[in-house]
Amino acid sequence: RKATFRLDGKTVGVSSLAMTLSGPGGFSVTRTWKIAVRPAQVAVTRREVAQLDPGQTVRFGRALLNGYLPGSAKLYLSYSNVPDLGVPALLKSLSQYPYGCVEQTTSKALPLLYVGDIAKSIGLASDDAAIRSRVQRAVYRVLSMQRSDGSFGLWTATDAREGWLSAYIMDFLTQARKKGYHVPDFAFNSGLSRLEQVVRDTGYEPWFLPVHAYSLYVLAVNKKTDVSTLRYFSDTYGGQIPTALGQAQIAAALSLFGENAAAGKVFATAFRNQTRPRETGNYWNAFVRDYGTELRDRAAVLYLTALTDPKSKRISPLVQEIGRMRTSRKYLSTQEQAWLLLAAHGLSGDGPYSVAVNGKDQADRTRPLYLQPAAAELARGVTVRNTGKDKLWQGVTVTGIPREDLPAETAGFTIKRAFYTLDGKRADLDKVKQSDVLVALIEVSADTPRYHQALVVDLLPAGFEIENARLKGRDVSSMKWLPKLRTPRHVEPRDDRFVAAVDIGGKGRSFYLAYVVRAVTPGTFRLPAAHVEDMYRPAFFARMAMGTVLIQARD
């Protein structure tokens, strides 16, 4: 006899379904299945920064988490005598970033070398061993993308050579080795040898200079260059380096050799430089692109300044500038988040401050105070009082899955998606039958002539599964009725989503992608919105509206 029952996903996470079958003679068997409940939308973050006057008290309650799916919302509070950069929320955002090119893998792991205690305090890791395990896995993963010449590819070891990014990864591996992580000597030395070759053999056109600068900095940290090479590069090309980050890296390298006067001059140039290179074909190729924004560069300048001259008078105004920039951004790239975390770690503050939480004094603090009240605490109410004599910076960040559907949006991109039958007819999503096979066709257009490293993500409704062409599924390239499809730089047909990385620019600003799905589970499901974003300038993005798909049971 067939038994049917209904399942509803109520909260986000992994649940268990158990079934016990019993029969005559004491027969009994139990089976358990893990079922993941993934929301139909991505998390959103709301952040506010303010200052508390001496003696001022603020109260936080459960209402702050209203408007989010149960169990998905988190409140992060931070207090310090310097402007808040949102460290807990940055850590959580990086830890939950679901994609893993070599840059993203590095950016997620690098801050954990220094802010692991904060990661533990907000529940991102259970103990030091868990953090070390996460960082070590990241080390091995990035090394799996190292090319035979010592450089690194973006997604695989067979991708094009990345110049600036190779220096970034070697910076991470250098710091990881110093923290006791295992980085095989052959791979590490091969990477350093590649940076030495870059410095020797690459030309001095402006678009190459940021790669030179970062390579020289990493070599200086590893004692693989000398002061005369740095002085020559700084004196001859320092003023031509188009990014503030590149200038700060040369200044920091000079500081490592005790050239403080020369370093100070180059740092001064970096502080004045608030521009980014004009995006041309030269700046777009894999070797020279530096994945940066103005915010990323300012955060990196702050980090390198605090690292080499923690008493610099330039730090305080730069912190306030970065705080304003940080607050004005709705979305942040992995580069921006990683360097903001490094910058926040390097700040020492302007002296002790005092604060009371729920009436308990925490006096004479010098490091920021981070709080993550649980829902039960918020139900009772959480109070914070500035018990010191000076104003206190407060950061309030709420992140979670919205209850209401996010509206369609376009900001530099447009995206459309439709489903078709295998013979090219538009599918009616109210009349899909179990075992039907459909083709999802996605159209993306960039509205500006800028170059973009775009990521296209299409979350599946719960009743669909992707047919993976690599596993002898249907290949969309053989379907003649489809428009000409773009070959992504990287594609991932996952269990719950379709992901494709595509470079956009020049004449290729519009393109199509397609993949095949099968209806497997009868029911009524939310149809998530397909979206596209520039991975390193997330202000450029587009999102469709949500929908519904009805899958009827097979006869």
Side-chain angles (χ1 to χ4, degrees), residues 268-328:
T269 303
F271 273 83
R272 292 192 299 267
N273 185 0
Q274 300 190 36
T275 62
R276 289 282 304 164
R278 182 175 176 269
E279 292 168 3
T280 66
N282 290 327
Y283 279 115
W284 179 245
N285 74 65
F287 185 77
V288 301
R289 59 187 174 194
D290 74 346
Y291 298 81
T293 62
E294 293 86 350
L295 176 57
R296 191 285 305 270
D297 287 358
R298 305 311 281 170
V301 171
L302 175 58
Y303 163 68
L304 291 167
T305 302
L307 188 68
T308 57
D309 186 10
K311 301 299 183 181
S312 173
K313 295 181 180 179
R314 297 189 180 103
I315 289 178
S316 181
L318 183 56
V319 171
Q320 297 190 39
E321 177 191 349
I322 291 171
R324 290 191 296 269
M325 295 176 70
R326 163 81 172 90
T327 303
S328 68

Side-chain angles (χ1 to χ4, degrees), residues 87-127:
V87 169
L90 290 171
L91 269 175
K92 185 173 181 64
S93 177
L94 276 177
S95 71
Q96 293 182 335
Y97 191 80
Y99 312 111
C101 75
V102 73
E103 184 282 324
Q104 293 154 357
T105 302
T106 302
S107 291
K108 287 192 286 187
L110 176 57
L112 291 177
L113 297 174
Y114 304 103
V115 293
D117 56 334
I118 302 172
K120 289 185 295 182
S121 71
I122 61 175
L124 296 181
S126 56
D127 52 27

Side-chain angles (χ1 to χ4, degrees), residues 371-387:
L371 305 172
Q372 185 192 346
E377 295 177 90
L378 289 172
R380 296 190 296 268
V382 175
T383 61
V384 179
R385 179 180 176 83
N386 180 3
T387 57

Side-chain angles (χ1 to χ4, degrees), residues 58 77 79 354-362 365 369-371 373 377 381-387:
V58 289
L77 303 174
Y79 296 89
S354 299
V355 64
V357 180
N358 290 332
K360 296 181 179 179
D361 288 328
Q362 302 191 42
R365 293 187 61 90
L369 172 65
Y370 300 112
L371 305 172
E377 295 177 90
V382 175
T383 61
V384 179
R385 179 180 176 83
N386 180 3
T387 57

